[in-house]
Amino acid sequence: MQPKVRRPGARRTCLTGRPLRRISALGAVIGLAGLGAGFAPSVQASPGLDTGPATSQPGLSGVANAADSGSSVTQTHSWLDDNGTTRSGTVTVSKTQNLATREIVNISWSGFLPTVNSAGASSVHAAPQAAIASGFPVVLMECQGDNAATMTPSDCAFPNPNRYYYYAIHDAQESAQVQQSSSYDSRSFTETSGKVDRADTYEPVPLPSDFSDSNVLGTNWYATWTDPDGTHPNARFEVRSTKEAPQSLGCSDTSNRSKGACSIVVVPVRPMDCISATGCPGPTGDLGLSTDFKEWQSASNWRNKFVFPVTFKPFPDICDLDSRIALPTQGSQVLNQAMASWLPKFCTSTDLFKLGFTRVNDSTARSNLDVKVGGKYLSNLAFTTEPAHSATGRPIVNAPVAVSGFGVAVALDNTGYEQVNQVNLNARLLAKLVTESYNAPPDPNVQSNPESLLSDPEFAKLNPGLVAQLPPATQIDNSILVQGSPDLVYEVTRYIASDPDAVAWLGGKPDPWGMKVNPYYQGNKWPVPNAQFEIRDPYQWKDDPRKCEPKPVMEQVGQFVYDLASVADAMVNRQPQDYSVCKVAGQGGDVFAWGHSDRQLLGQRAMLAIMDLPSADAYQFPLAGLQNHAGKFVTPSNDSLAAALSVASVDSETGTLSANLQSSSPDAYPGLMPVYAAAPTHGLTTTEAGQYASMIRWLSTAGQTYGDAAGQLPAGYLALPASMRAQA
């Protein structure tokens, strides 16, 4: 019996190569935005720090849900059952305006028919995109157009073969053309260009290449269930724009057939109005039942649809149309979501100017303030969490522009195929996750340790009863981690270093259940705090029978990604970032290469990721409660960030704040991360100095208004309190 190489659950092996895509149109375009420069710091002490309006912000809930942003919409429809009884259903979409592309919203409803056979194999619980055994499900889609009266199923991309008419030919509400067709004729699809895609009988409709039904919840659709009481409280739905789907959706592209209009469409599948009393069998669990998800498109169901028009905030690349030279800034990836909002506001406002923001590691941005090439400094403004100091005597000050933090995002499903929303972690468990210390057979360095976080007795102690709710094979070996040296890594490892039990464990002391640190991290081999997560264990399985080029086991199961946007991307896509699967590559079948393990199915997710709070909030990842110095498990929220800010430590030289990890405050979240604009006060032109100063004033005042519109502060950030605004 050959040794087992474990499926991945955390870091990546090869530290080169970038993921192909980015979330929120941030990837290729957020090489723009931001500003900052500060003058004499004024914060003297942190106790009693005014927290301003911070607690009024939606989001940052720990279970990062899409709170009512002001654009929540509720609709109520009435319809007749097949027996003539009037029923009434109500649907609410949590947010419909100023959406970011790939943002996730909540959809809830009441008054619907309960779903039959909703649980079990091939049901809407187990397979929401192939719910073949469930009767009366609810289908969620994103479609072209915003007029419920004129919208047709041809406006909605839906995968083959589920465009076949099936039982629609028995539907009394259908047209004569459909009724006279074959069950295996297909509904056409109209692309945003106006091109109509059709197919012959038994043939699939040639959908546009940008349509895929394999994302987190179905690119443009998925089927789900209604509980026995007629409700469903929190269906998560991902919206996409023309950035991902220009041919199948085209949202916000005013040049297409629907003028860029799009809608979320909710279709409750109900008893069909049949031509024959025996023509439409009810829910029996068979493939061909007339009440399954495929029947969303039949006229009897389509007439009962709920249509919610959606709009998107300006994309950052709108600034490409601005021919002015951008004022350059660079630095903290914690500002990714804020910059996606602030950047378009600057370049589209006549009283502001065009900004540039290059997303780099904080340490690189700080260093570039001090480095000259060709007589010019590489940077005149760096966004950073750790304070910027000059090694060459260049006068630099740090002005606060944002308050946020790091968190541990969780994608974990229980045996009921529902998301787990509450997980507790302490510093020692985080240390275990980032040091390759869970057993990855056949690595002898960790062979005596638990194989997974979920089989670790310490995790079970902190999360009573949770493991029993999970499928038996569920494993989380480690966390998705960002490579490089952003300050987020330093703050995570500073949190680990603040806990005596975690430090003792890293030093070689077993935990109370006997688990030991991977010896390649023990003691001073990987000291904390540390600027980088690392792959240190070199053990290689010499008898590996697979045909890929040999490499260390920990490089196979590790899950490193290029940047924080890629962390969120992997979580949204349910794609482990390991390289543990030896796959055929290229033509001929004789070339092999390491690849990711399969994307995890909904209902079977088991992933953790250390990431920034704003991205976690935007994509609705539940966030773990982290144990603070007072021994309390605290999830990130406006209140817990404000509590952490009120006891924050002050750097006497720069006036910058950092998380006080020795505070006895029971309410303080230990993942606090303020972000500062570090700028020189000498050596700039008058124009540069004036623009940087204006930028800092704007970011620290107008830019601190909560909201979803361009220029407003997204969820995941705490608005600067008055004292920090004054400091800026």
Side-chain angles (χ1 to χ4, degrees):
M1 179 177 180
Q2 69 182 35
K4 176 183 72 169
V5 172
R6 180 109 69 119
R7 71 175 178 81
R11 299 184 231 148
R12 181 183 157 186
T13 267
C14 168
L15 298 186
T16 59
R18 303 186 179 197
L20 296 179
R21 304 195 63 173
R22 292 287 185 274
I23 284 182
S24 274
L26 287 174
V29 298
I30 222 178
L32 325 152
L35 292 158
F39 304 95
S42 61
V43 172
Q44 301 298 316
S46 58
L49 191 67
D50 170 31
T51 55
T55 55
S56 64
Q57 182 194 16
L60 266 182
S61 61
V63 180
N65 55 5
D68 183 349
S69 64
S71 64
S72 172
V73 174
T74 298
Q75 297 180 12
T76 298
H77 292 180
S78 296
W79 54 76
L80 295 178
D81 276 341
D82 55 352
N83 62 4
T85 302
T86 300
R87 294 181 63 90
S88 179
T90 297
V91 178
T92 297
V93 176
S94 65
K95 182 180 176 182
T96 59
Q97 298 175 20
N98 291 312
L99 294 162
T101 189
R102 297 202 74 180
E103 185 169 350
I104 291 175
V105 300
N106 275 347
I107 304 176
S108 58
W109 55 86
S110 62
F112 283 16
L113 278 177
T115 300
V116 177
N117 298 329
S118 65
S122 301
S123 73
V124 284
H125 269 87
Q129 292 177 261
I132 58 176
S134 296
F136 307 127
V138 178
V139 176
L140 313 178
M141 296 175 288
E142 188 177 4
C143 304
Q144 299 173 43
D146 59 5
N147 187 334
T150 59
M151 188 180 295
T152 74
S154 293
D155 297 317
C156 306
F158 209 81
N160 294 298
N162 300 321
R163 301 193 73 85
Y164 290 158
Y165 287 147
Y166 292 115
Y167 280 94
I169 64 172
H170 303 290
D171 188 348
Q173 298 297 321
E174 280 288 358
S175 66
Q177 179 183 2
V178 170
Q179 292 172 351
Q180 295 165 11
S181 300
S182 160
S183 297
Y184 295 98
D185 284 326
S186 293
R187 293 191 189 275
S188 62
F189 173 70
T190 306
E191 299 183 18
T192 55
S193 65
K195 176 188 174 185
V196 179
D197 297 325
R198 296 185 174 89
D200 295 332
T201 305
Y202 293 103
E203 294 297 319
V205 174
L207 295 171
S209 60
D210 64 17
F211 174 75
S212 166
D213 66 342
S214 60
N215 81 316
V216 64
L217 295 175
T219 296
N220 299 328
W221 77 279
Y222 75 105
T224 188
W225 70 91
T226 298
D227 288 329
D229 64 356
T231 69
H232 192 117
N234 58 348
R236 300 166 68 246
F237 187 81
E238 178 186 326
V239 290
R240 293 198 166 190
S241 73
T242 192
K243 291 298 177 183
E244 286 80 22
Q247 296 170 281
S248 57
L249 276 174
C251 312
S252 294
D253 178 3
T254 57
S255 66
N256 63 33
R257 61 183 286 264
S258 62
K259 306 302 181 185
C262 287
S263 298
I264 293 172
V265 179
V266 179
V267 181
V269 175
R270 301 181 51 73
M272 192 177 291
D273 181 11
C274 282
I275 298 171
S276 165
T278 59
C280 302
T284 63
D286 296 331
L287 273 173
L289 48 96
S290 66
T291 57
D292 79 356
F293 74 97
K294 296 186 293 292
E295 306 310 326
W296 67 272
Q297 56 185 314
S298 67
S300 285
N301 290 309
W302 183 251
R303 63 180 175 172
N304 295 323
K305 66 187 178 297
F306 294 73
V307 176
F308 297 85
V310 295
T311 63
F312 290 81
K313 66 178 67 177
F315 306 123
D317 61 358
I318 191 174
C319 295
D320 293 348
L321 302 175
D322 187 341
S323 62
R324 294 174 295 175
I325 297 175
L327 184 71
T329 68
Q330 59 182 238
S332 176
Q333 298 175 50
V334 174
L335 289 184
N336 285 351
Q337 299 297 328
M339 285 301 181
S341 174
W342 289 339
L343 183 150
K345 179 66 175 180
F346 266 77
C347 69
T348 57
S349 299
T350 56
D351 57 340
L352 293 172
F353 40 86
K354 186 177 182 180
L355 300 181
F357 173 69
T358 302
R359 183 175 56 197
V360 299
N361 290 331
D362 309 56
S363 56
T364 301
R366 289 192 295 270
S367 176
N368 287 345
L369 291 172
D370 247 0
V371 177
K372 278 187 175 181
V373 175
K376 291 187 176 182
Y377 286 101
L378 291 179
S379 175
N380 285 320
L381 193 129
F383 291 112
T384 173
T385 289
E386 305 304 318
H389 303 269
S390 174
T392 63
R394 192 182 194 198
I396 293 173
V397 293
N398 298 265
V401 295
V403 174
S404 189
F406 72 82
V408 182
V410 181
L412 185 62
D413 294 324
N414 61 26
T415 54
Y417 302 97
E418 295 178 321
Q419 178 175 273
V420 172
N421 287 326
Q422 180 60 51
V423 170
N424 291 328
L425 299 173
N426 60 14
R428 186 163 55 196
L429 285 176
L430 270 189
K432 295 174 180 180
L433 286 165
V434 302
T435 58
E436 305 172 331
S437 292
Y438 286 109
N439 184 11
D443 189 336
N445 296 309
V446 290
Q447 63 182 357
S448 298
N449 288 344
E451 288 198 355
S452 165
L453 172 72
L454 303 178
S455 58
D456 187 336
E458 184 166 18
F459 180 82
K461 179 181 178 181
L462 301 186
N463 299 274
L466 175 58
V467 174
Q469 301 173 24
L470 306 176
T474 304
Q475 290 183 320
I476 296 178
D477 310 339
N478 42 36
S479 172
I480 297 176
L481 301 174
V482 63
Q483 67 188 61
S485 54
D487 283 352
L488 179 140
V489 175
Y490 183 81
E491 289 299 315
V492 172
T493 58
R494 192 167 75 88
Y495 167 67
I496 292 172
S498 72
D499 182 73
D501 291 336
V503 172
W505 184 81
L506 288 169
K509 180 182 178 181
D511 75 5
W513 301 270
M515 180 174 175
K516 297 180 180 180
V517 67
N518 186 315
Y520 284 93
Y521 289 83
Q522 185 174 332
N524 291 325
K525 295 175 183 176
W526 187 71
V528 289
N530 202 295
Q532 292 183 311
F533 298 125
E534 298 179 9
I535 293 178
R536 300 188 59 83
D537 186 342
Y539 174 79
Q540 187 170 304
W541 182 18
K542 294 182 176 56
D543 298 323
D544 191 340
R546 293 171 294 179
K547 296 181 180 181
C548 290
E549 180 180 349
K551 68 178 177 180
V553 169
M554 288 302 182
E555 288 194 5
Q556 295 178 39
V557 301
Q559 296 191 84
F560 272 103
V561 295
Y562 177 70
D563 56 16
L564 289 178
S566 302
V567 176
D569 207 351
M571 289 289 282
V572 167
N573 290 329
R574 311 183 317 279
Q575 178 63 71
Q577 295 299 297
D578 64 304
Y579 281 87
S580 65
V581 180
C582 186
K583 301 178 179 180
V584 174
Q587 301 294 325
D590 57 352
V591 178
F592 292 82
W594 295 106
H596 295 321
S597 37
D598 292 339
R599 294 170 76 168
Q600 296 181 352
L601 300 175
L602 282 173
Q604 301 174 29
R605 295 173 300 167
M607 296 174 67
L608 291 184
I610 297 175
M611 64 190 304
D612 60 293
L613 298 182
S615 292
D617 209 304
Y619 304 109
Q620 289 204 66
F621 305 134
L623 291 160
L626 298 182
Q627 189 175 38
N628 62 20
H629 189 66
K632 303 296 184 181
F633 293 94
V634 182
T635 53
S637 67
N638 293 330
D639 290 341
S640 64
L641 283 179
L645 199 60
S646 70
V647 296
S649 301
V650 184
D651 183 276
S652 60
E653 180 181 349
T654 62
T656 57
L657 303 177
S658 60
N660 178 0
L661 298 174
Q662 301 302 317
S663 168
S664 59
S665 169
D667 302 319
Y669 178 67
L672 173 73
M673 288 182 63
V675 179
Y676 291 83
T681 58
H682 180 72
L684 303 177
T685 67
T686 301
T687 300
E688 287 174 327
Q691 287 186 324
Y692 282 129
S694 296
M695 180 201 71
I696 290 172
R697 293 190 192 100
W698 192 94
L699 295 186
S700 61
T701 53
Q704 299 299 311
T705 301
Y706 295 127
D708 302 310
Q712 294 184 320
L713 190 66
Y717 298 94
L718 182 69
L720 294 180
S723 54
M724 294 183 77
R725 298 187 190 201
Q727 179 186 3

